[in-house]
Amino acid sequence: MTDCNTSCFYIEYDINNSTVVREIGTDENNKVVTKGPYKNNLGFWIDNDLTLQEYKERFDIHSIGKETFDKLWESPMSLI
């Protein structure tokens, strides 16, 4: 089971296909608490049909690099 207190989501967005590829949720200590798709978790943002522009309009988003995202993805998930 993962911590339900996700304070930040990171998404990997495919601009060419206008879709979320992967997502990572972290807690207030930036510990990874959820990933999708990962094992039985298909993810939350992956099921949304938001364009990148809609994400920018609706949320306070910040870009991170692929290397940073991949490092978070490879981090073990914190369990409660």
Side-chain angles (χ1 to χ4, degrees):
M1 173 181 265
T2 59
D3 187 355
C4 295
N5 294 320
T6 304
S7 63
C8 180
F9 275 97
Y10 297 91
I11 63 170
E12 179 180 47
Y13 194 86
D14 180 344
I15 295 172
N16 294 326
N17 293 308
S18 297
T19 188
V20 173
V21 179
R22 296 184 293 174
E23 63 187 61
I24 302 166
T26 59
D27 66 10
E28 64 278 353
N29 297 313
N30 207 37
K31 300 280 187 194
V32 174
V33 294
T34 187
K35 297 177 186 180
Y38 184 76
K39 296 187 179 181
N40 293 330
N41 180 15
L42 297 179
F44 176 76
W45 296 107
I46 290 173
D47 287 336
N48 287 286
D49 292 329
L50 298 176
T51 65
L52 186 55
Q53 185 59 39
E54 289 170 323
Y55 278 107
K56 290 178 180 179
E57 292 169 356
R58 297 179 186 188
F59 304 102
D60 182 25
I61 70 168
H62 306 278
S63 294
I64 64 169
K66 178 176 174 29
E67 184 176 306
T68 301
F69 186 92
D70 288 342
K71 184 175 179 180
L72 280 169
W73 183 262
E74 294 302 322
S75 298
M77 285 195 289
S78 295
L79 302 176
I80 57 172

